[in-house]
Amino acid sequence: MTRRSYPKGLAKREEILATALKVIAERGFGGATLRELAEASNLSITGLVHHFGTKEQLLTEVLRRRDEVDADAYEMDRLPETAAAMIERLATLVDRNAAVPGLVTLYSNLSADAAAPEHPSHEYFRERYEQSQDLGRDSLSHLQELGELPAGVDPGDLAQLMIAAVDGLQLLWQYDQSIDMTRGLRALGALLALANEGGRSADE
Amino acid sequence: MTRRSYPKGLAKREEILATALKVIAERGFGGATLRELAEASNLSITGLVHHFGTKEQLLTEVLRRRDEVDADAYEMDRLPETAAAMIERLATLVDRNAAVPGLVTLYSNLSADAAAPEHPSHEYFRERYEQSQDLGRDSLSHLQELGELPAGVDPGDLAQLMIAAVDGLQLLWQYDQSIDMTRGLRALGALLALANEGGRSADE
DNA sequence: GTCTATACTCGGATAGAC
DNA sequence: GTCTATCCGAGTATAGAC
C-alpha cells in the first residue's frame, strides 16, 4: 500500500498512534472521535486526517500495532507441541486483552463495522482472519501428526471454531466483565484432551 | 417497560417493523438509517421516532422479533437428549441466519455498539446473553446426567464457549461467505462425542 | 393519539490559505 | 504540514397541526 512514505511524517504518525492508544485505553472507545483524538495530540482534526486519511484508517493502525505486540507474545513462528499449550497461548492473549477494555471494544466495533466490503478497514480484517485461520490450521495439523489431536476432526474447521470463540468471548465479556474468558477456552482444551484419549483407544 | 400501550399504535408498530425487516434483509444493514426506514414505511422520520423513540430501539425490536421466531425453531422448552442433537439445533439456527445476511450484520453491529452500558440496547443484549447462558448450561447439565457428556467439563464454561462460537462464526462468515458456519459447530460436536467416549472409558 | 415541520447537535470530510 | 472555515449527513428534541 501507499503507506510510510516520507520519514518525517512517520515519527509524527507514531506519536499520534501512541497517544490515540493511550486515550482509547484510558477513556474507552467512546472517546475515539476525531475531535478527542486530535485534541489529545494537540492537533486539529484536519491535522489528523492529513496523516491517516480517515478515522477508520487511524483506528485500524492502532489495532495493527497491537497485533504486532501480540504476535511476539503468541510466538507465531513456533508451532505448539501440545493441545494444552496451544490453548494456553490463546488464554494468555485473551487475558492481556482483558487488561485493556477500550481496545477490546475498539476491536469488536471495528470488526463488525468493517464487515461491509466498502469499509476502509475491511481488507485489514479479512487478511487478519485469513492469516489466523492459516496459522490455526497449521498448528492443529501439526498436533494431529504428533498424536495430540484426534484424527477425526478437521483442523480447518476447528481453527475457525477457535477464532470465532475468541472473538465471541471478548464480546460476551464486555457485557459481563466478571466472566473469565479463559474458562471457556480451557473447557475446549479439556474436550480436546478427552477426545484424544477417546480417539486413541478407538485407534488401537 | 412502557411499551405496547394503545392497541391502535400496536398495529402500526408491527407494520413498521415488518417493512424495516424487509428493507434490512433486501438492502443490507447499510440501508438501516432512519431516513431509509421512514421512506420505506411512507412516514416521516419523526413519525418513526414517535413510535420507537430512537433508532436503536427500533432495531432492537427487529431483532427481538427474530428471536421469537427462532425460539420456536430451537424448541427452547425441550432439553436436548444427545449432544449431537444440541449441536444440530444450533446449526439449524445458524443456517437460517445465513439466509438473511442483513440481519446477521445488524446483529453483529448492534451487539458490538450496545456493549457500552449507556447504549439503549445494552439491556436487551445483556438479558439475551444471560438467558442463552442459562439455557445452554441447563441443556449441558442435562446431557451430563444422561451420560452424553463427560463429567470433567463445566456446563457453564462450555455454554459460554458455544454462545461465543455462534456469534464469532457469524462475524467470520461476513468476511467470507463461502464459509459454512455449521462445520465449526459440528467440529465441536465431534469433539464432544469423542470426549465422551474417552471420559467413559476412564470412568470404568 | 398520530403525525409533521423546523431547528439543533455532533461527527466526519473537504477546500483552500498560510 | 498545519490551520480556519465550511459543508454534509445522521440522529434527536420541541412545538404544534389535525
Side-chain angles (χ1 to χ4, degrees):
Chain A
M1 314 291 172
T2 45
R3 258 179 224 107
R4 267 139 223 158
S5 22
Y6 22 75
K8 187 64 172 300
L10 208 152
K12 194 77 185 179
R13 272 176 63 102
E14 291 304 311
E15 192 188 318
I16 293 171
L17 283 177
T19 37
L21 192 126
K22 213 169 68 184
V23 168
I24 293 169
E26 284 171 6
R27 302 211 279 266
F29 176 61
T33 71
L34 281 182
R35 278 164 181 77
E36 297 251 355
L37 296 177
E39 203 171 322
S41 291
N42 289 320
L43 231 59
S44 70
I45 292 177
T46 8
L48 274 198
V49 170
H50 172 255
H51 286 289
F52 292 94
T54 69
K55 177 198 175 193
E56 275 76 25
Q57 281 167 20
L58 196 169
L59 294 179
T60 306
E61 290 306 314
V62 171
L63 287 180
R64 210 188 291 273
R65 270 199 142 207
R66 187 186 63 165
D67 283 349
E68 287 165 12
V69 180
D70 282 358
D72 298 339
Y74 185 84
E75 304 179 78
M76 299 275 189
D77 44 341
R78 279 185 164 184
L79 294 182
E81 298 298 311
T82 65
M86 182 172 177
I87 292 288
E88 284 312 310
R89 285 194 195 178
L90 286 178
T92 305
L93 224 60
V94 149
D95 253 348
R96 290 163 55 104
N97 288 350
V100 196
L103 272 185
V104 175
T105 311
L106 168 60
Y107 177 84
S108 294
N109 278 84
L110 203 53
S111 61
D113 286 351
E118 332 80 66
H119 193 284
S121 310
H122 184 78
E123 265 310 289
Y124 163 73
F125 282 102
R126 212 194 45 69
E127 281 177 18
R128 192 175 181 280
Y129 282 129
E130 203 172 84
Q131 286 166 12
S132 303
Q133 278 174 246
D134 288 348
L135 181 62
R137 192 178 21 70
D138 290 349
S139 300
L140 291 165
S141 293
H142 182 237
L143 291 176
Q144 233 169 19
E145 285 166 17
L146 294 177
E148 288 285 327
L149 207 70
V153 292
D154 181 79
D157 293 347
L158 197 50
Q160 274 174 9
L161 179 78
M162 284 184 172
I163 294 163
V166 168
D167 278 18
L169 282 169
Q170 290 186 340
L171 183 60
L172 222 52
W173 172 75
Q174 291 178 70
Y175 283 94
D176 178 7
Q177 301 214 356
S178 76
I179 289 179
D180 180 352
M181 296 185 270
T182 63
R183 289 183 65 96
L185 290 176
R186 295 208 172 98
L188 181 60
L191 282 178
L192 289 173
L194 286 171
N196 200 44
E197 293 173 27
R200 192 176 293 167
S201 56
D203 277 358
E204 291 162 271
Chain B
M1 315 290 171
T2 44
R3 262 184 220 108
R4 267 138 223 160
S5 23
Y6 23 76
K8 186 65 173 300
L10 210 154
K12 194 77 186 178
R13 272 176 63 102
E14 291 303 311
E15 192 188 317
I16 293 170
L17 284 177
T19 37
L21 192 126
K22 213 169 67 182
V23 168
I24 293 169
E26 285 171 5
R27 301 211 279 264
F29 176 61
T33 73
L34 280 183
R35 278 160 182 80
E36 297 251 356
L37 296 177
E39 203 171 323
S41 290
N42 289 320
L43 232 61
S44 70
I45 292 177
T46 9
L48 274 198
V49 171
H50 172 255
H51 287 288
F52 292 94
T54 71
K55 176 197 177 193
E56 273 76 26
Q57 280 165 20
L58 196 168
L59 294 178
T60 307
E61 290 305 313
V62 171
L63 287 180
R64 210 188 291 273
R65 270 201 142 206
R66 186 186 65 164
D67 284 349
E68 287 165 12
V69 179
D70 282 358
D72 298 339
Y74 186 85
E75 303 180 78
M76 299 272 187
D77 43 342
R78 279 185 164 182
L79 292 182
E81 298 298 310
T82 66
M86 182 171 177
I87 293 288
E88 284 312 308
R89 284 194 193 178
L90 286 177
T92 305
L93 224 60
V94 149
D95 252 348
R96 290 163 54 106
N97 288 349
V100 197
L103 272 185
V104 175
T105 311
L106 168 59
Y107 177 83
S108 294
N109 278 86
L110 203 52
S111 61
D113 286 350
E118 332 81 65
H119 194 284
S121 310
H122 184 78
E123 265 310 289
Y124 163 73
F125 282 102
R126 213 196 43 69
E127 282 178 17
R128 192 176 182 282
Y129 282 129
E130 201 173 85
Q131 286 166 11
S132 302
Q133 278 174 247
D134 288 348
L135 181 63
R137 192 179 20 70
D138 289 351
S139 299
L140 290 165
S141 293
H142 182 238
L143 290 175
Q144 232 169 20
E145 286 166 16
L146 293 177
E148 290 284 327
L149 207 72
V153 293
D154 182 78
D157 294 347
L158 197 50
Q160 275 174 9
L161 179 77
M162 284 184 173
I163 294 163
V166 168
D167 278 18
L169 283 170
Q170 290 187 343
L171 183 61
L172 221 53
W173 172 76
Q174 291 178 69
Y175 283 94
D176 178 7
Q177 301 215 354
S178 75
I179 289 179
D180 180 352
M181 295 184 269
T182 62
R183 288 183 67 97
L185 290 176
R186 295 207 173 97
L188 180 59
L191 282 178
L192 289 172
L194 286 171
N196 200 43
E197 292 172 29
R200 192 176 293 167
S201 57
D203 278 357
E204 291 161 271

